[in-house]
């Protein structure tokens, strides 16, 4: 399954593609996440709601929305979690009902960055991590953990969270990819700017939307761990980075990629690493070279 920015989803069965858009019943053509439930159903978090596909029929799910008196936060191992559009909370599907859960927002609410969901990662010790533009919110079924500008001591226009990707790896390290200040890494009770630690920040930009130079890792929209424990990062401007626990390796158009913006990184059941690029191409890494497969 492949999700697009505005063209719905595509399913590849090994020989051909099938395409699904709002015409086929999707709630929206922007696909933000794709998940499989315990019964083999495929779920799509879209730009406007949640849809599911049972192999034959597409179904849109209307969430139980309560904003004034929010639903109680709960979680089980089989829950599916989705973004809630521009709302500052998340959708939880418990196997029967899709429910909206509003976040316990921190006090220092930014006027220009919201708490809309950008990424979700399940971690150890029953922890669910939810990345929003302005904060990372952890929930273990009982208590919340908030990582925000106030906790990190950020107070300038050039240094603030803008979370776009999130991963808790097999070692329990939490990786937080930002659009502007690089990757933060939390290990135990310590949080460092990993990009800065690896000398990959370069000069601080006056505006976070400025294009970063090659050899930097400041705008990270994808983070994945492979079966060998390598951590992969997809940067908006500077290609793909791999961290093997000791050294960083950078892959760009010079290594076969069609552009330097990897929006998604995925390892399939056979151990193949797939890279979804911003221009719509899908690449597989063969040794040290990238080959376009779709």
């Amino acid at each position: 399954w492949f999700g697009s920015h505005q063209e719905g989803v595509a399913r590849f069965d090994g020989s051909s593609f099938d395409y699904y858009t709002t015409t086929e019943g999707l709630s929206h053509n922007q696909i933000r996440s794709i998940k499989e439930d315990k019964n083999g159903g495929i779920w799509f978090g879209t730009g406007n709601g949640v849809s599911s596909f049972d192999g034959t029929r597409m179904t849109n799910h209307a969430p139980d929305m309560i904003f004034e008196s929010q639903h109680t936060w709960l979680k089980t191992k089989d829950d599916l979690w989705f973004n809630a559009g521009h709302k500052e909370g998340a959708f939880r599907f418990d196997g029967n009902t899709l429910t909206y859960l509003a976040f316990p927002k921190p006090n220092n609410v930014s006027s220009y960055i919201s708490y809309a969901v950008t990424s979700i990662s399940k971690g150890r010790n029953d922890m669910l991590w939810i990345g929003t533009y302005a904060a990372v919110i952890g929930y273990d079924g009982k208590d919340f953990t908030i990582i925000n500008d106030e906790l990190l001591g950020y107070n300038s226009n050039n240094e603030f969270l803008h979370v776009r990707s999130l991963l808790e790896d097999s070692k329990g390290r939490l990786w937080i990819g930002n659009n502007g200040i690089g990757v933060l890494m939390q290990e135990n009770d310590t949080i460092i700017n990993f990009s800065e630690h690896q000398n990959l920040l370069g000069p601080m930009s006056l505006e976070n939307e400025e294009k970063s130079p090659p050899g930097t890792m400041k705008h990270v929209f994808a983070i994945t761990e492979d079966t060998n424990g390598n951590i992969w990062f997809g940067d908006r401007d500077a290609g793909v980075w791999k961290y093997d626990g000791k050294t960083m390796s950078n892959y760009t158009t010079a290594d076969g990629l069609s552009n330097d913006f990897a929006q998604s990184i995925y390892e399939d059941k056979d151990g193949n690493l797939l890279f979804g690029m911003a221009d719509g191409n899908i690449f597989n890494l063969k040794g040290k070279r990238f080959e376009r497969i779709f």
Side-chain angles (χ1 to χ4, degrees), residues 6 21 31 58 84 110 113 178 218 238 249:
Q6 290 293 347
T21 66
I31 307 302
M58 194 74 69
S110 169
I113 294 183
N178 290 272
K218 298 175 66 173
S249 301

Side-chain angles (χ1 to χ4, degrees), residues 165 192 212 264:
S165 54
I192 65 169
S212 296
S264 60

Side-chain angles (χ1 to χ4, degrees), residues 2-289:
F2 302 92
S4 74
H5 183 62
Q6 290 293 347
E7 298 169 315
V9 295
R11 180 180 65 173
F12 182 68
D13 63 6
S15 59
S16 62
F17 283 94
D18 291 317
Y19 299 91
Y20 303 86
T21 66
T22 53
T23 302
E24 287 71 40
L26 267 177
S27 59
H28 196 270
N29 283 332
Q30 183 183 94
I31 307 302
R32 299 184 181 181
S33 62
I34 303 175
K35 305 176 187 293
E36 182 178 9
D37 65 24
K38 62 181 180 180
N39 298 316
I42 307 298
W43 291 72
F44 308 99
T46 79
N48 184 28
V50 177
S51 302
S52 66
F53 183 71
D54 63 5
T56 303
R57 184 168 60 99
M58 194 74 69
T59 301
N60 294 327
H61 299 264
D64 187 359
M65 305 285 282
I66 296 180
F67 299 110
E68 299 302 323
S69 57
Q70 70 176 60
H71 286 288
T72 301
W73 275 76
L74 298 169
K75 64 185 295 293
T76 69
K77 64 180 180 66
D78 293 324
D79 289 340
L80 298 180
W81 295 85
F82 303 92
N83 79 88
H86 297 297
K87 301 295 183 183
E88 297 186 333
F91 290 149
R92 169 187 177 238
F93 180 71
D94 62 5
N96 296 299
T97 305
L98 186 72
T99 303
Y100 172 78
L101 299 175
F103 292 135
K105 292 190 296 184
N107 292 326
N108 62 328
V109 176
S110 169
S111 62
Y112 52 89
I113 294 183
S114 76
Y115 293 93
V117 174
T118 60
S119 50
I120 299 174
S121 177
K122 292 185 177 181
R124 301 189 301 181
N125 302 318
D126 205 30
M127 181 64 83
L128 175 74
W129 295 105
I130 301 177
T132 75
Y133 290 108
V136 174
I137 299 170
Y139 178 61
D140 63 5
K142 296 180 180 179
D143 301 312
F144 291 93
T145 299
I146 307 292
I147 301 173
N148 63 351
D149 291 339
E150 184 178 32
L151 175 70
L152 298 169
Y154 294 163
N155 57 15
S156 74
N157 291 330
N158 289 331
E159 190 175 45
F160 55 86
L161 284 175
H162 190 158
V163 180
R164 296 309 303 256
S165 54
L166 195 63
L167 171 74
E168 182 179 324
D169 69 17
S170 59
K171 295 181 173 62
R173 298 173 298 188
L174 180 65
W175 302 88
I176 305 169
N178 290 272
N179 187 15
I181 62 170
V183 176
L184 305 182
M185 190 267 283
Q186 175 179 276
E187 188 169 19
N188 300 319
D189 296 325
T190 302
I191 300 177
I192 65 169
N193 189 312
F194 180 78
S195 294
E196 183 177 34
H197 186 265
Q198 297 290 323
N199 296 315
L200 299 178
L201 272 186
M204 185 61 71
S205 303
L206 294 177
E207 296 287 344
N208 285 329
E209 294 304 315
E210 289 183 359
K211 187 179 176 77
S212 296
T216 59
M217 192 172 73
K218 298 175 66 173
H219 306 269
V220 177
F221 282 62
I223 308 177
T224 298
E225 180 180 19
D226 66 25
T227 53
N228 295 318
N230 299 307
I231 309 298
W232 293 84
F233 308 94
D235 189 86
R236 187 192 70 184
D237 304 326
V240 172
W241 289 89
K242 181 182 85 169
Y243 178 59
D244 65 6
K246 295 181 180 180
T247 60
M248 297 289 293
S249 301
N250 188 207
Y251 303 89
T252 66
T253 53
D255 302 290
L257 291 171
S258 55
N259 65 53
D260 287 327
F261 186 2
Q263 287 189 299
S264 60
I265 305 173
Y266 178 78
E267 184 177 30
D268 68 18
K269 63 182 181 180
D270 297 319
N272 298 306
L273 280 169
L274 307 179
F275 299 82
M277 309 307 293
D279 60 6
N281 290 305
I282 309 295
F283 285 83
N284 186 10
L285 180 60
K286 294 288 188 180
K288 295 183 178 180
R289 293 288 300 179

